[in-house]
Amino acid sequence: MYDAILFDLDGTLLDTESLALTTGAATFAAFGHDDALARLHDLVGVDQPTVARKIREWYPQVDLPALQADWNQRFHDAMSSAVPLKPGATELVHSLATRHRLALVTSSGRATAMDKLTRSGLLPAFHTVIVREDVTHPKPAPEPYLLAATQMQADPARCLVFEDSEPGAESAHLAGMRVVQVPDIHPPSGKFAHFIASNLQDGAAWAGLLP
């Protein structure tokens, strides 16, 4: 039915987006900006270079390297005991890997993504991992998903994607793939999804992936 199944990481398989928001808000407050939380919602699903550019636009006087280091440390400390997974993510991914080729497509950098995948136990399930450094134009451009399809020798039209964010869903949609959107932080627009699921299992059932 599908040549490959592709997953986003943060917010789709890992319950990390809310953690990034709360630790980010704490960092900005520590740097004297108590108004940041609403703005941080605009960074969900966005790659790090774009995050840095937006922060510079919002707070031109902030010491960006120091702020990013503080935010990274708070996030790292919050995840020090375990990587929070979405309900059923481990079981679904490893079950699908026995019958399908899987790819992971994330806007995170390589070191961060591989650390999360390794610590969560998800890494062995994936044939291909595409990270921020692998592309010139990250999500919402289609390049990340098209690159994954190329590496897996898969027809994009026969690929199924699980995404949570609007930039991610748009990326997969523009790549010509079938998109299941499982919303995390923001309600979806519905413009880029073939199906909006309440959870991963709901989406997998709709796609005919469950026994």
Side-chain angles (χ1 to χ4, degrees):
M1 180 183 246
Y2 301 108
D3 287 352
I5 301 171
L6 302 88
F7 287 89
D8 171 56
L9 185 59
D10 294 287
T12 300
L13 295 176
L14 303 184
D15 194 9
T16 46
E17 296 288 19
S18 58
L19 199 60
L21 288 176
T22 55
T23 55
T27 286
F28 277 88
F31 278 69
H33 300 289
D34 295 318
D35 61 340
L37 183 57
R39 285 176 163 173
L40 295 183
H41 279 263
D42 292 338
L43 304 182
V44 174
V46 177
D47 63 283
Q48 283 301 314
T50 303
V51 167
R53 177 176 57 79
K54 285 181 174 290
I55 292 173
R56 287 193 186 98
E57 291 173 356
W58 296 336
Y59 305 106
Q61 305 305 317
V62 77
D63 184 343
L64 185 58
L67 183 143
Q68 289 178 312
D70 185 272
W71 190 356
N72 289 339
Q73 187 61 55
R74 289 175 190 269
F75 185 80
H76 175 79
D77 291 346
M79 287 217 309
S80 60
S81 58
V83 177
L85 286 138
K86 287 288 187 174
T90 297
E91 295 80 3
L92 178 63
V93 165
H94 287 290
S95 174
L96 292 178
T98 65
R99 308 185 303 277
H100 302 273
R101 290 184 298 159
L102 307 187
L104 192 287
V105 182
T106 178
S107 294
S108 292
R110 186 174 308 281
T112 299
M114 296 305 288
D115 176 65
K116 291 175 181 175
L117 286 169
T118 301
R119 292 177 57 213
S120 66
L122 297 175
L123 183 59
F126 292 100
H127 293 75
T128 296
V129 176
I130 301 297
V131 300
R132 175 62 182 88
E133 293 94 325
D134 293 326
V135 299
T136 302
H137 304 289
K139 303 174 187 179
E143 184 182 348
Y145 279 107
L146 291 174
L147 177 59
T150 297
Q151 290 194 1
M152 300 185 78
Q153 299 182 320
D155 179 356
R158 292 177 53 83
C159 290
L160 177 70
V161 175
F162 286 83
E163 269 281 1
D164 69 294
S165 71
E166 286 289 286
E170 182 176 2
S171 174
H173 175 80
L174 291 174
M177 298 180 178
R178 199 160 182 80
V179 182
V180 172
Q181 192 168 4
V182 187
D184 180 36
I185 298 296
H186 298 146
S189 70
K191 294 189 296 183
F192 308 116
H194 293 84
F195 182 69
I196 297 173
S198 58
N199 53 54
L200 289 168
Q201 289 71 23
D202 182 31
W206 172 84
L209 298 176
L210 299 183

